Amino acid sequence: MNLKEYIREIPNFPKEGISFKDITTLIKDKKAYKYAIDKLAENLKNKNIDYIIGPEARGFIIGAPVAYALGVGFVPIRKKGKLPGTTLSKTYKLEYGEDTIQIHDDAIPKGSRVAIVDDLIATGGTVNAIIDMIEDLGSQVVSCQFIIELTALNTNERLKQYDINTLVQYDDKE
């Protein structure tokens, strides 16, 4: 299945010069959504994952059903101030700004094997911040799975040491 047929591109959002890849058109289609979730889960099925980590908000939509398919726990990464209890925070740069994300400091037992699942990887800022937090908690990032990769943004070099998988790639000509 060609998932690009189900992804809507919105020019100049959230700011001028950005071509936003909108997965709401993919997730509303039951066959495309199931296909994407099944493919991501298939990529992880033999990796002995304990938890799926999904960043707010689209990572919840993608990560939670992958966790369910694998029969493992799901841990949300939230924007600052959204989690009750004690948290670990990380501030990082985006393609068009800066953000802070948090995880409960007791969300993942030390030594856990986790996979990060989200809708899109661009420069790698968000996923690098998540990796830092997971490793600070004493756990191992086994894999990172995304529906979309923006290849023209040259994902951070640091991520090359991790198992990264994407279902759809866009370059700067698209």
Side-chain angles (χ1 to χ4, degrees):
M1 175 178 286
N2 181 0
L3 292 179
K4 279 188 179 181
E5 294 174 7
Y6 299 92
I7 298 168
R8 174 174 44 192
E9 293 187 61
I10 301 174
N12 301 313
F13 182 84
K15 72 175 203 175
E16 188 72 29
I18 303 288
S19 176
F20 187 80
K21 309 302 186 253
D22 179 18
I23 64 158
T24 62
T25 48
L26 183 148
I27 63 175
K28 78 175 185 179
D29 184 283
K30 63 184 175 186
K31 289 181 183 175
Y33 187 37
K34 182 175 183 345
Y35 176 85
I37 297 304
D38 288 348
K39 291 301 270 184
L40 294 170
E42 181 181 315
N43 292 336
L44 295 170
K45 71 179 179 183
N46 295 319
K47 296 190 183 295
N48 300 315
I49 302 297
D50 297 308
Y51 297 94
I52 297 295
I53 309 299
E56 187 172 336
R58 292 178 301 275
F60 297 179
I61 296 166
I62 305 304
V66 170
Y68 176 81
L70 294 172
V72 302
F74 176 79
V75 176
I77 300 286
R78 302 285 322 256
K79 294 184 181 188
K80 185 176 180 179
K82 301 283 185 172
L83 289 173
T86 309
T87 59
L88 180 63
S89 299
K90 183 76 175 176
T91 299
Y92 64 98
K93 292 187 190 297
L94 296 162
E95 303 84 88
Y96 44 83
E98 187 176 273
D99 208 352
T100 300
I101 54 175
Q102 296 181 315
I103 187 172
H104 280 126
D105 64 2
D106 62 355
I108 304 166
K110 285 185 181 181
S112 296
R113 294 170 55 86
V114 306
I116 299 166
V117 177
D118 202 1
D119 68 321
L120 179 138
I121 185 166
T123 61
T126 304
V127 73
N128 271 312
I130 296 168
I131 288 169
D132 287 346
M133 290 193 302
I134 300 307
E135 292 176 348
D136 287 349
L137 291 172
S139 291
Q140 177 186 5
V141 175
V142 176
S143 185
C144 301
Q145 303 284 317
F146 305 93
I147 292 177
I148 301 166
E149 178 183 10
L150 304 180
T151 59
L153 295 179
N154 298 317
T155 302
N156 189 302
E157 187 71 25
R158 175 180 179 225
L159 292 177
K160 293 188 178 180
Q161 68 179 313
Y162 296 93
D163 174 50
I164 306 286
N165 183 61
T166 60
L167 302 180
V168 177
Q169 296 77 37
Y170 288 89
D171 64 27
D172 56 355
K173 297 175 186 157
E174 298 180 87

